[in-house]
Amino acid sequence: MSKTAIVVGLDGSEAGQRALAFAKSRAEMIGDCSITLCYVIEWSPFSFQTPEENEQRHKRREEELKLAHERVIDPAVAQAKADGFEVTGVVKHGDAADILEDIAKAQSASQIVVGRVGVRGLKERLFGGVTGRLVASASVPVTIIP
Amino acid sequence: MYRLYAVLLTLIASVLPGLAAAQEAVGIDQRINQIFADYTGWYVSFIFAPLPGTTFSWIALWLVVGAVVFTVYFGAIQFKGFVHSIRLVKGDYSDPNDAGEVSHFQALATALSGTVGLGNIAGVAVAVSIGGPGATFWMVVAGLFGMATKFTECTLGVKYRNEYPDGSVSGGPMYYIVKGFAERGLPLGGFMAVVFSIFTILGALGGGNMFQANQAHAQIAGVVGDYPGWITGVILAGVTFAVIAGGLKSIARVTEKVVPFMGVFYVLVSVLILLINFDQIGWAFGQIFMGAFTGLGVVGGFTGALIQGFRRAAFSNEAGIGSAAIAHSAVRTKEPVTEGYVALLEPFIDTVVICTMTALVIVISGVMNVDPETGLYIWNAEAGRIATDGDVSGVALTSAAYAKAFSWFPVLLMVAVVLFAFSTMISWSYYGLKAWTYLFGEGQTKELVFKIIFCLFIVIGAAASLGPVIDFSDAMLFSMAIVNIIALYFLMPIVKRELNSYVTRLRAGEFVRHK
């Protein structure tokens, strides 16, 4: 029996914190369990940019990664480690639903835990938000924390 | 930030009264034109000089010959590598760990927004009305060859770009000329790079700026009625300044999203018109093929069609000018050749697809008058082109052709022309800036100086009819191609080496397809 893995999506919001708390309580119950905290910076390779933005892109990307680590992932990882959990943190660019699913697959995770952010705009009403798409495409159970 | 705006406003305020006066009195316009014509006329005449005994400018032949040489040298890479190009743009070979970096698609889209524009709308109309439908055939042929030129220059652009410690990049002909020539042990690389940069700055201020502002104003005035050009100029300059110097990314982002949308919409409307008239498509292609070899009553005949088509393609997709190499060099890739593959799609989209659409709609719409008895086009000798409904050419002819199917089209076309002009200006401000920093070094103040100069020229371009000034700047644009293509001839063995190595490793399965 291999180790159980849980993937948690964090976005720096309250809902993300609740998702992490839920994952921790599960991990405690399971015992031999690792948690992967994941922060996704929304980004599409098919967006349109000015030449100047392209030139600065690499620098911006580094800054975005650094900020996400500093503000969200690193504190959460440190806290969870202090609480005695086996935990890693990743920050990636892309579509949140795709990335969470990819990480879950790569780690053979038993489930994905995300917080519910609520439906915000017309676009999300029409096409579904990140959570909606994640539920529709995930290959493992998804727990959504309200 | 506010200081920047204050500087710009003061500058505009100091120039405006002069411009307004210039419009009223016309005297200043004429004097500037006269001075320019006196001092630069010889150079403009030289660049656009026809080959002896023809009306075919040697510079267009220079571009086409280059394109043919590169096509042969790289074994028709634009056809053999076409599918691979599309896979690269789709991101099939992109490393997921590079997510967040500039993708192939983004580099291509940025470069395209600099080339798709007035040439596709106005230029095609001019070519077809002077050269007949057959001009379309030769335009497509030249566009297909031009793909190999883009492949060559953009591969070099990525290979020899400068990467700075902070992660930003600078690339383009000035960099590959210097580094490539040094690598091959050739002399004069530094000199050619400086000359290229000077041409680029002057070309950016004219063809990439004044001409665009001028045409945008003409188009708006044509729809809403005449009003002073400096008003358009100041608005355009203000918005451009906000984007390029003020870092007002939101405007840039809106434009960069709307422009591709306009391009796609333009093609869709064209396809729709063709579908409505699908029974005439066969006939239109017949006209294009017959016209390509007979002229169909066009005075220039076969050569007239050929000349116009080649010229249009060369002037529209910028293959060989070197500008695309600057735009493409920001991409994230370990293999420079991949960006060459991606770049070769540019002339295809710009010339083979968009220009052909415009030409087909113009031919099918029947805005060009045909003699019902002979089936040949009626020649308007006075204007030197085919007689058209309402006796128009350029953007107006395209507008009239599309209006036959959709009466609302001229308004849409106005919006499209203004947006295309704007995005072309944004792109060229960047090309100009790269040449500027190459010559004078990087630094906020130095860059700001160029940006202010650039915005002032927008106002001048929109306000004044400075024919000779714009001619001179056009000549600069094509002078870029003289330096650039000479350099490409010397550097193409390096590209070949890169290509061979890449293809060998691709066949060996070294590059993983992630999708």
Side-chain angles (χ1 to χ4, degrees):
Chain A
M1 182 73 195
S2 64
K3 192 172 212 158
T4 315
I6 299 177
V7 174
V8 183
L10 287 188
D11 58 354
S13 74
E14 281 282 314
Q17 287 305 317
R18 291 197 294 276
L20 177 55
F22 178 84
K24 281 178 180 172
S25 72
R26 284 297 120 139
E28 249 167 18
M29 279 190 250
I30 298 166
D32 190 17
C33 179
S34 72
I35 302 174
T36 303
L37 301 180
C38 180
Y39 182 97
V40 181
I41 301 159
E42 277 297 329
W43 180 83
S44 164
F46 301 109
S47 60
F48 297 97
Q49 310 200 70
T50 60
E52 204 126 28
E53 280 178 308
N54 281 348
E55 179 189 310
Q56 299 292 330
R57 188 59 224 160
H58 182 71
K59 203 164 130 191
R60 294 273 168 280
R61 179 178 181 266
E62 301 287 301
E63 287 168 6
E64 287 164 5
L65 291 175
K66 193 164 157 254
L67 268 181
H69 269 291
E70 272 173 8
R71 297 216 176 139
V72 182
I73 288 294
D74 292 354
V77 168
Q79 181 61 46
K81 271 195 179 144
D83 296 345
F85 293 97
E86 188 191 329
V87 60
T88 48
V90 281
V91 178
K92 295 229 170 212
H93 282 80
D95 176 76
D98 288 349
I99 301 269
L100 288 173
E101 160 67 4
D102 288 349
I103 291 175
K105 254 192 195 152
Q107 312 224 338
S108 319
S110 61
Q111 65 168 317
I112 301 172
V113 184
V114 290
R116 188 176 70 195
V117 255
V119 177
R120 275 172 295 207
L122 180 67
K123 194 176 139 206
E124 293 199 354
R125 272 175 208 285
L126 287 174
F127 302 110
V130 171
T131 32
R133 275 180 292 122
L134 179 62
V135 169
S137 64
S139 56
V140 295
V142 178
T143 307
I144 297 161
I145 311 302
Chain B
M1 191 68 265
Y2 287 101
R3 261 181 52 214
L4 297 187
Y5 287 104
V7 170
L8 183 76
L9 283 177
T10 326
L11 275 164
I12 289 175
S14 60
V15 175
L16 277 188
L19 280 173
Q23 280 232 319
E24 281 153 27
V26 195
I28 296 177
D29 271 29
Q30 281 180 349
R31 218 178 308 155
I32 295 176
N33 279 345
Q34 198 51 51
I35 294 168
F36 248 84
D38 288 350
Y39 285 95
T40 66
W42 63 272
Y43 189 76
V44 176
S45 316
F46 161 68
I47 287 290
F48 294 113
L51 290 168
T54 67
T55 52
F56 195 40
S57 58
W58 68 271
I59 190 76
L61 189 72
W62 171 254
L63 292 166
V64 172
V65 167
V68 172
V69 169
F70 300 129
T71 302
V72 173
Y73 188 72
F74 292 110
I77 182 80
Q78 62 266 59
F79 304 115
K80 283 198 306 200
F82 194 79
V83 175
H84 187 61
S85 302
I86 291 177
R87 285 197 185 125
L88 284 166
V89 175
K90 275 169 59 198
D92 288 5
Y93 291 92
S94 305
D95 184 346
N97 290 323
D98 281 343
E101 303 278 6
V102 178
S103 66
H104 282 304
F105 177 90
Q106 285 164 334
L108 176 67
T110 304
L112 263 178
S113 75
T115 60
V116 173
L118 290 164
N120 305 67
I121 299 169
V124 173
V126 172
V128 174
S129 63
I130 300 177
T136 317
F137 177 85
W138 297 111
M139 189 178 70
V140 169
V141 169
L144 289 172
F145 280 116
M147 293 164 77
T149 312
K150 283 259 172 155
F151 168 83
T152 317
E153 58 187 1
C154 292
T155 301
L156 288 168
V158 174
K159 185 171 168 63
Y160 293 111
R161 64 186 168 188
N162 269 10
E163 291 181 64
Y164 300 105
D166 71 352
S168 60
V169 289
S170 272
M174 47 281 189
Y175 294 97
Y176 63 66
I177 292 174
V178 169
K179 292 189 193 171
F181 272 47
E183 195 178 304
R184 294 210 59 200
L186 297 164
L188 293 176
F191 170 72
M192 279 172 73
V194 168
V195 172
F196 179 85
S197 298
I198 294 170
F199 287 153
T200 306
I201 292 169
L202 295 172
L205 292 176
N209 177 339
M210 284 199 292
F211 175 70
Q212 306 289 334
N214 199 284
Q215 291 297 301
H217 172 69
Q219 189 61 22
I220 300 173
V223 174
V224 305
D226 204 17
Y227 68 95
W230 61 265
I231 298 176
T232 315
V234 169
I235 295 171
L236 270 176
V239 178
T240 308
F241 190 76
V243 171
I244 63 175
L248 232 173
K249 298 254 168 56
S250 49
I251 296 175
R253 245 173 243 146
V254 169
T255 329
E256 297 302 307
K257 281 196 178 74
V258 173
V259 164
F261 172 78
M262 286 308 255
V264 171
F265 192 73
Y266 184 78
V267 172
L268 284 182
V269 170
S270 312
V271 171
L272 198 62
I273 293 176
L274 297 180
L275 284 179
I276 293 170
N277 301 294
F278 77 95
D279 53 322
Q280 290 183 52
I281 295 178
W283 169 81
F285 272 109
Q287 292 277 297
I288 288 171
F289 283 114
M290 267 185 342
F293 300 100
T294 66
L296 287 174
V298 171
V299 163
F302 154 71
T303 43
L306 180 103
I307 289 166
Q308 286 302 322
F310 274 15
R311 239 166 89 166
R312 189 62 265 142
F315 292 10
S316 159
N317 61 40
E318 291 178 15
I321 304 276
S323 51
I326 303 177
H328 278 277
S329 59
V331 72
R332 188 69 175 181
T333 179
K334 293 175 190 80
E335 300 293 331
V337 172
T338 56
E339 199 51 30
Y341 271 108
V342 169
L344 66 79
L345 294 174
E346 236 184 282
F348 184 80
I349 298 170
D350 179 278
T351 307
V352 180
V353 177
I354 304 184
C355 286
T356 307
M357 288 292 170
T358 307
L360 276 175
V361 172
I362 292 176
V363 172
I364 284 184
S365 71
V367 286
M368 296 193 298
N369 303 338
V370 178
D371 188 332
E373 279 176 23
T374 57
L376 297 178
Y377 286 98
I378 300 168
W379 190 253
N380 178 346
E382 208 178 305
R385 55 177 152 78
I386 295 168
T388 55
D389 292 358
D391 201 25
V392 289
S393 181
V395 181
L397 182 63
T398 311
S399 194
Y402 280 77
K404 281 214 164 180
F406 302 110
S407 59
W408 45 262
F409 193 82
V411 178
L412 179 95
L413 196 67
M414 176 192 80
V415 178
V417 165
V418 173
L419 282 173
F420 283 156
F422 182 64
S423 74
T424 304
M425 286 194 288
I426 299 278
S427 296
W428 274 95
S429 76
Y430 181 77
Y431 304 153
L433 181 67
K434 286 287 112 180
W436 180 270
T437 54
Y438 180 81
L439 290 179
F440 302 112
E442 317 216 353
Q444 280 209 320
T445 320
K446 288 175 193 161
E447 293 181 15
L448 186 63
V449 170
F450 176 77
K451 287 167 179 172
I452 291 173
I453 295 174
F454 191 84
C455 290
L456 286 176
F457 271 84
I458 297 177
V459 183
I460 298 171
S465 49
L466 300 167
V469 180
I470 290 173
D471 285 347
F472 174 69
S473 160
D474 267 358
M476 287 297 116
L477 216 69
F478 289 99
S479 306
M480 288 165 71
I482 301 176
V483 182
N484 187 41
I485 291 184
I486 291 175
L488 293 183
Y489 285 144
F490 282 111
L491 299 177
M492 63 187 188
I494 296 175
V495 180
K496 185 121 183 183
R497 214 168 56 214
E498 289 276 329
L499 176 65
N500 289 343
S501 144
Y502 178 78
V503 171
T504 314
R505 284 176 293 147
L506 183 69
R507 291 214 181 109
E510 195 177 300
F511 303 108
V512 191
R513 268 178 83 172
H514 297 279
K515 276 184 195 163

